[in-house]
Amino acid sequence: MSDSFDVETWRSELEEKRAEKDEFFADHPQSPIPPEEREEFSGLEYFEPDSDYRVDATVTVHDDPEPVTMDTTTGREVRYLRVVTLSFDLERADPELADGTYELAAYQMERPEEEPLFIPFRDKTTGQQTYTGGRYMELSPERDVVDGDDIVLDLNLAYTPFCAYSETFDCPLPPEENWLEVTVPAGERFEQ
């Protein structure tokens, strides 16, 4: 992680993003919370911000991206292209949380007009502390990434897809290659 990283500024910005998202979920017409439930909505559940889950990830670019078919929550299939793989280390002081090197594939639709990288994943919190359908992250690198680049992957930004809140949404399910065999207590929580 960069030497210039300021934990307090990062934490403050993360808390601000979370407050904005809670406001969107509570009040916005496009909120995934059904209108009849919004009055009782008191905010999303989150893991405590933890800068150990803001990691440097090494990029492997797939010059000829393979198509990946993902099932969705309504039983459909959608096709994405696996455009990069991100490799990162998790080093935790807590012996219950395994250290090691992990990989997540990042995808784009087959028409990647400046789309962010889409990273659906599962981990050992899935179905317990987080949504059974997995969680998502999106990355928008400031420039085209090349093999060997290091980019910041902040797992504290992992979020629950809209289909967890309403059946009107159809969400891709993380493919098996993005099932992490580790607990990632970062980002959004979801009570089942």
Side-chain angles (χ1 to χ4, degrees):
M1 205 174 325
S2 157
D3 292 336
S4 63
F5 176 63
D6 179 336
V7 175
E8 291 311 312
T9 300
W10 165 81
R11 180 183 292 271
S12 174
E13 289 172 355
L14 182 63
E15 297 287 3
E16 193 175 301
K17 284 179 186 166
R18 289 176 171 184
E20 286 173 10
K21 186 164 187 179
D22 284 348
E23 190 175 311
F24 172 86
F25 270 51
D27 301 325
H28 199 279
Q30 292 179 325
S31 167
I33 304 292
E36 65 277 7
E37 295 175 23
R38 289 185 195 159
E39 195 171 303
E40 294 175 27
F41 176 74
S42 59
L44 298 171
E45 297 291 320
Y46 298 96
F47 290 101
E48 276 299 308
D50 187 340
S51 61
D52 285 345
Y53 288 101
R54 183 185 183 276
V55 297
D56 286 330
T58 302
V59 175
T60 301
V61 175
H62 303 288
D63 292 327
D64 187 16
E66 283 185 50
V68 175
T69 302
M70 296 183 202
D71 293 327
T72 72
T73 52
T74 63
R76 290 185 323 111
E77 290 184 343
V78 290
R79 272 174 53 116
Y80 282 84
L81 297 177
R82 181 189 309 107
V83 292
V84 300
T85 299
L86 304 171
S87 177
F88 56 96
D89 291 329
L90 289 179
E91 298 172 11
R92 300 286 311 185
D94 185 339
E96 296 291 313
L97 306 173
D99 291 354
T101 300
Y102 300 92
E103 288 188 345
L104 285 172
Y107 310 91
Q108 287 182 321
M109 296 296 278
E110 292 187 82
R111 47 161 194 13
E113 302 103 25
E114 300 302 313
E115 265 187 32
L117 297 173
F118 174 54
I119 308 168
F121 74 100
R122 294 173 58 114
D123 67 284
K124 292 208 171 188
T125 68
T126 302
Q128 298 172 50
Q129 297 163 291
T130 61
Y131 176 55
T132 56
R135 291 184 287 166
Y136 295 168
M137 287 185 296
E138 291 175 356
L139 282 179
S140 297
E142 294 174 7
R143 60 178 177 75
D144 286 346
V145 294
V146 296
D147 264 357
D149 273 353
D150 279 337
I151 61 174
V152 173
L153 179 65
D154 192 343
L155 296 159
N156 291 277
L157 300 176
Y159 65 93
T160 305
F162 280 9
C163 52
Y165 307 101
S166 171
E167 292 179 1
T168 61
F169 294 93
D170 185 19
C171 304
L173 297 169
E176 201 165 332
E177 67 183 349
N178 274 13
W179 293 10
L180 297 175
E181 289 299 317
V182 65
T183 300
V184 181
E188 290 182 17
R189 301 171 65 117
F190 185 79
E191 296 299 319
Q192 306 304 316

